C-alpha cells in the first residue's frame, strides 16, 4: 500500500508490474490505487480471449509452472 501511494504522490499515471505472478495482487492494488493498475500482462487475457472461439484454448507459458499452479483460481477469477 505504501509503494502505491508513493508512486501516486510522485505523479505516476499508472502502476504496472512485470511478472505473471503479480496477478495475485491485482485486486488488492486496484482497491488501493486511484490510478490504473496493471500488475501483470495477464490482465490482457480477457481482451485476447475475445479474438478466439470460446472453445479454443489459450496457452500460457511460465518459467515455473509448479509455482503458478496454486494461483490458478486467482488467475481465472481475476483475468477471465
Amino acid at each position: 500500500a505504501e509503494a502505491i501511494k508513493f508512486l501516486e504522490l510522485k505523479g505516476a499515471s499508472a502502476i504496472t508490474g512485470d511478472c505473471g505472478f503479480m496477478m495475485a495482487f491485482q485486486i488488492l492494488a486496484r482497491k488501493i490505487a486511484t490510478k490504473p493498475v496493471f500488475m501483470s500482462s495477464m490482465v490482457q487475457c480477457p481482451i485476447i480471449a475475445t479474438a478466439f472461439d470460446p472453445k479454443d484454448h489459450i496457452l500460457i507459458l511460465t518459467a515455473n509452472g509448479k509455482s503458478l499452479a496454486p494461483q490458478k483460481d486467482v488467475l481465472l477469477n481475476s483475468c477471465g
Side-chain angles (χ1 to χ4, degrees):
E2 289 179 35
I4 290 171
K5 293 301 180 189
F6 174 81
L7 292 170
E8 290 183 334
L9 286 173
K10 290 292 184 178
S13 299
I15 297 169
T16 66
D18 65 351
C19 176
F21 292 98
M22 293 182 77
M23 194 63 211
F25 303 104
Q26 176 69 27
I27 294 171
L28 177 61
R30 189 58 233 133
K31 287 179 181 178
I32 296 167
T34 61
K35 305 292 183 184
V37 175
F38 310 94
M39 294 302 293
S40 165
S41 58
M42 298 290 289
V43 299
Q44 299 175 69
C45 286
I47 296 166
I48 294 168
T50 63
F52 292 90
D53 185 274
K55 296 177 184 174
D56 288 341
H57 294 270
I58 298 171
L59 175 66
I60 297 171
L61 300 175
T62 180
N64 193 335
K66 288 182 182 178
S67 293
L68 189 62
Q71 294 188 38
K72 180 181 176 184
D73 290 336
V74 171
L75 293 172
L76 290 174
N77 291 328
S78 299
C79 59

